[in-house]
């Protein structure tokens, strides 16, 4: 082989050896796209997902880009926003509540979807099984057995003479419907009349409040979902103005002025959802990741609201509280 041919051959080998390195460098520099689909508006919980992903090494602008879409409680916008994320060819969609994941699932059967706080993923058809989701959807569920009954028991402990309770719930969302039915069942057992205050959008709040004033309940329960969470301060203010002890789903509701909350720890669910996004971006398939249920529940009490209502919180209840707001 001549010197010229030998040099050409060595140069060719050197270039071939560099190809995998270049490909590897290109892959390492890839910016993944994560879609975020919410039926409501940005809230105090929204940054928690991005903070958790940052802790896992996903830095916006460096190795990940977020495409955030909010329906602003106009549920008819969800299909359009989900389709937009699909057109952007995101690597994974994080969808909030039950209606967010349902809209995303209708828009794509291939892009992985991580539910952040779905109510009843099995009953609503999001997954084939909790242990083996089977498709492109997995994530976190809010669903636990008899949550409505446990909440009514807490109110009964707080208000032994409780005879009527109004329940504010979003009838457009499958999850609140389940919890409302559980509350009705518990009401029959405990001898408490359960009154329904249905919502389907923000414009229904005034009518629901007017109905509550006419029904004269002893307390108000609000079932958590993106709509009621958005208006948690308005709901808490209404309850206080009408001297209604109020029980809601998240600790953030109590910080907004509600009397008491009992439910899943939202921050824990969000942190675990971020873990699933991390796994999927690294190659895991949603079908292989079981749907997780709440692992942490918290009871939070607002003593300031109790004083404004003229209520004395039983020591047994205070002793069980995870947090007491003074």
């Amino acid at each position: 082989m001549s010197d010229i041919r030998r040099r050409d051959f060595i140069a060719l080998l050197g270039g071939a050896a560099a190809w995998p390195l270049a490909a590897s460098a290109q892959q390492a520099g890839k910016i993944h796209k994560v879609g975020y689909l919410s039926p409501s508006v940005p809230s105090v919980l929204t940054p928690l997902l991005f903070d958790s992903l940052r802790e896992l090494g996903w830095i916006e602008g460096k190795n990940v880009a977020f495409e955030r879409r909010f329906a602003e409680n106009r549920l008819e916008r969800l299909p359009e926003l989900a389709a937009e994320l699909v057109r952007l060819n995101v690597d994974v969609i994080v969808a909030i509540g039950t209606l967010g994941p349902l809209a995303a699932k209708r828009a794509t059967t291939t892009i992985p979807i991580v539910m952040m706080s779905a109510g009843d993923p099995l009953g609503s058809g999001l997954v084939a099984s909790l242990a083996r989701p089977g498709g492109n959807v997995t994530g976190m569920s809010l669903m636990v057995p008899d949550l409505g009954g446990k909440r009514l028991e807490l109110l009964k402990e707080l208000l032994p003479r409780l005879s009527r309770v109004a329940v504010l719930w979003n009838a457009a969302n499958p999850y609140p419907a389940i919890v409302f039915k559980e509350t009705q069942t518990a009401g029959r057992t405990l001898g408490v009349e359960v009154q329904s205050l249905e919502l389907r959008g923000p414009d229904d709040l005034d009518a629901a409040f007017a109905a509550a004033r006419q029904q004269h309940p002893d307390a108000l329960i609000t079932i958590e979902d993106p709509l009621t969470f958005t208006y948690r301060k308005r709901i808490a203010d209404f309850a206080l103005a009408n001297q209604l002890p109020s029980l809601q789903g998240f600790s953030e509701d109590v910080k907004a002025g509600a009397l008491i909350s009992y439910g899943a720890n939202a921050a824990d669910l969000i942190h675990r959802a971020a873990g699933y996004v991390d796994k999927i971006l690294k190659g895991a398939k949603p079908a292989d990741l079981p749907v997780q249920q709440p692992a942490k529940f918290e009871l939070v009490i607002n003593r300031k609201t109790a004083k404004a209502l003229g209520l004395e919180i039983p020591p047994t209840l205070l002793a069980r509280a995870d947090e007491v707001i003074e």
Side-chain angles (χ1 to χ4, degrees):
M1 182 181 294
S2 69
D3 288 342
I4 294 174
R5 291 181 62 193
R6 186 179 293 110
R7 284 197 300 269
D8 290 344
F9 182 66
I10 291 170
L12 181 62
L13 284 179
W19 292 340
L21 294 174
S24 176
Q26 187 178 5
Q27 181 65 24
K30 178 183 177 182
I31 294 184
H32 293 269
K33 285 193 285 187
V34 174
Y36 182 91
L37 180 63
S38 170
S40 66
V41 297
S43 76
V44 293
L45 296 176
T46 305
L48 297 184
L49 175 76
F50 309 114
D51 291 344
S52 294
L53 285 170
R54 192 179 303 113
E55 290 170 8
L56 292 166
W58 296 101
I59 313 299
E60 188 166 16
K62 182 181 178 182
N63 56 7
V64 68
F66 296 114
E67 295 288 348
R68 301 167 176 86
R69 299 294 184 272
F70 298 90
E72 299 177 338
N73 293 304
R74 303 297 175 185
L75 300 181
E76 68 276 7
R77 295 190 62 212
L78 278 172
E80 163 205 341
L81 296 176
E84 192 175 322
L85 291 175
V86 172
R87 284 195 299 273
L88 289 170
N89 197 29
V90 295
D91 296 293
V92 58
I93 297 173
V94 179
I96 313 305
T98 303
L99 300 178
L102 281 171
K105 185 180 180 182
R106 291 179 186 123
T108 178
T109 58
T110 54
I111 296 174
I113 299 165
V114 175
M115 310 174 290
M116 203 152 80
S117 52
D120 180 18
L122 196 58
S124 59
L126 280 165
V127 296
S129 154
L130 296 182
R132 298 178 181 277
N136 64 322
V137 182
T138 187
M140 307 298 131
S141 170
L142 277 177
M143 202 71 224
V144 290
D146 199 28
L147 184 60
K150 290 183 175 72
R151 288 174 174 167
L152 199 56
E153 287 171 4
L154 277 172
L155 268 184
K156 190 76 173 173
E157 184 177 348
L158 176 65
L159 307 165
R161 296 182 181 178
L162 182 73
S163 63
R164 290 189 308 276
V165 63
V167 179
L168 186 67
W169 60 290
N170 183 1
N173 187 341
Y175 167 70
I178 294 170
V179 180
F180 176 69
K181 287 178 183 176
E182 288 179 352
T183 309
Q184 284 183 309
T185 301
R188 288 190 285 270
T189 302
L190 296 170
V192 176
E193 179 188 345
V194 176
Q195 302 165 336
S196 176
L197 302 174
E198 292 186 23
L199 304 171
R200 288 186 177 273
D203 297 339
D204 297 332
L205 275 168
D206 287 337
F209 291 159
R213 290 190 193 97
Q214 291 178 345
Q215 293 172 0
H216 302 292
D218 301 315
L220 175 70
I221 293 175
T222 301
I223 300 174
E224 69 276 29
D225 90 312
L227 174 62
T228 55
F229 188 78
T230 299
Y231 294 96
R232 63 193 180 282
K233 180 72 167 63
R234 188 173 165 189
I235 294 166
D237 289 348
F238 165 79
L240 186 57
N242 289 271
Q243 289 292 290
L244 281 173
S246 56
L247 186 151
Q248 294 182 225
F250 293 128
S251 61
E252 288 76 16
D253 299 315
V254 177
K255 292 166 187 171
L259 175 62
I260 188 170
S261 70
Y262 179 74
N265 182 304
D268 178 62
L269 285 175
I270 293 168
H271 182 72
R272 288 193 284 148
Y276 268 17
V277 174
D278 176 61
K279 289 178 187 294
I280 288 169
L281 290 177
K282 291 175 179 174
K285 295 179 180 178
D288 299 329
L289 299 173
V291 173
Q292 295 187 29
Q293 294 179 295
K296 293 182 181 178
F297 288 84
E298 53 186 359
L299 172 64
V300 181
I301 298 170
N302 190 324
R303 290 188 80 170
K304 183 179 177 182
T305 299
K307 288 173 186 175
L309 293 169
L311 284 175
E312 190 68 37
I313 305 293
T316 52
L317 209 54
L318 285 172
R320 299 205 309 274
D322 297 279
E323 184 180 356
V324 177
I325 298 172
E326 299 290 347

